[in-house]
Amino acid sequence: MTAAARPPRDGLSIGAVLAQLRPDFPDVTISKIRFLESEGLISPARTGSGYRQFTAVDVARLRFVLAAQRDHYLPLKVIREQLAAADTAAVEDSRRAAAARPLTAVPALPVPPDTFDEPVDDRRLSRDDVVAGAGIDTVLFAELEQYGLIRADPAGTYDAAAVVVATTARAMTEFGIEPRHLRAFRASADREVGLLAQIVAPLDRNPDPATRARAEEMRRELAALSVTLHTLLVKAGLRALAGG
């Protein structure tokens, strides 16, 4: 089965998008859609196997691009600038709307983010489990996965922390922050993990049970200290921006 024909787990396949566009744009092809993606005009999510998953927003952007080329003969550079301006305006509108809403609209997190003494939840969850547990839609789930906020294991399942991450991301969208804006958090966390892992790794390799137990204790302590330091730095930075 080809990539165009294979149905994705969620969203629209490239073949389904082509079928939607063809009535209005008879000349559009799969190669054209892929080209527009390579030019950065659309950014469809991907399944674990690499198949594209298009949302209604992706289709709307494609319609805008194709119509601008056909009806106004606009070059891609100009179209890209118009889309970027529209994206910026949408973010600003979301921020203004969020500022006007009461803070009670933000959902509460299921567990405090700095709790490290709780028993580890070893459950493996399906995509549907995470979506239902976090109260998000499948489009947001796909974006969180696309930008590395949640990651499946080789079996295609997720740990219980994925629900907390998705719930937190959903709360941040109430302030106009999109999943693509959260890539910096993922990159920062990965750097911190790499640094702390260098400290604990020698103890993990020691066959002595007491030493390995000490490694686990150090892991919890370092994680708590890392989160505390991160929180303090963010708070201090925000206070400085506010002139406090």
Side-chain angles (χ1 to χ4, degrees):
M1 185 177 291
T2 66
R6 184 188 296 271
R9 293 184 305 168
D10 186 48
L12 296 172
S13 69
I14 194 168
V17 171
L18 183 66
Q20 286 194 19
L21 295 174
R22 272 275 171 81
D24 296 317
F25 305 96
D27 295 333
V28 70
T29 63
I30 286 178
S31 296
K32 174 72 171 181
I33 294 173
R34 288 172 176 162
F35 170 73
L36 294 176
E37 178 187 0
S38 71
E39 290 295 310
L41 296 169
I42 54 170
S43 300
R46 298 274 184 155
T47 67
S49 302
Y51 297 108
R52 294 171 177 81
Q53 295 180 310
F54 293 82
T55 66
V57 173
D58 293 321
V59 177
R61 289 174 74 92
L62 281 169
R63 288 186 181 279
F64 177 86
V65 173
L66 294 171
Q69 288 183 312
R70 181 193 64 191
D71 301 337
H72 303 287
Y73 306 101
L74 295 180
L76 289 182
K77 178 181 178 181
V78 174
I79 297 173
R80 188 181 294 109
E81 291 172 350
Q82 291 182 351
L83 286 172
D87 289 341
T88 300
V91 170
E92 291 302 320
D93 288 344
S94 296
R95 287 173 178 168
R96 284 193 291 268
R101 287 195 295 267
L103 291 181
T104 53
V106 180
L109 301 183
V111 296
D114 57 351
T115 299
F116 295 96
D117 293 327
E118 297 292 331
V120 176
D121 190 338
D122 292 326
R123 290 178 301 156
R124 305 308 301 178
L125 307 176
S126 68
R127 179 197 60 173
D128 291 341
D129 291 332
V130 177
V131 168
I136 62 175
D137 57 35
T138 53
V139 173
L140 178 56
F141 178 93
E143 290 182 295
L144 294 175
E145 193 166 41
Q146 176 186 2
Y147 294 116
L149 277 299
I150 53 178
R151 295 168 175 168
D153 62 17
T157 62
Y158 305 83
D159 60 22
V163 175
V164 183
V165 171
T167 304
T168 305
R170 176 168 67 96
M172 297 184 81
T173 65
E174 296 287 336
F175 296 91
I177 300 175
E178 300 176 16
R180 62 191 175 91
H181 300 138
L182 301 177
R183 284 179 293 185
F185 289 84
R186 174 80 268 174
S188 176
D190 287 343
R191 286 194 296 270
E192 291 177 27
V193 169
L195 172 63
L196 302 184
Q198 293 178 35
I199 299 172
V200 182
L203 299 181
D204 278 329
R205 291 193 291 267
N206 193 304
D208 178 45
T211 302
R212 294 174 68 87
R214 173 55 183 159
E216 182 59 33
E217 181 182 350
M218 284 181 61
R219 213 177 339 263
R220 290 196 300 270
E221 292 174 355
L222 286 170
L225 289 170
S226 176
V227 169
T228 299
L229 178 60
H230 179 83
T231 301
L232 290 171
L233 291 174
V234 171
K235 285 182 176 179
L238 290 175
R239 279 198 300 269
L241 287 175

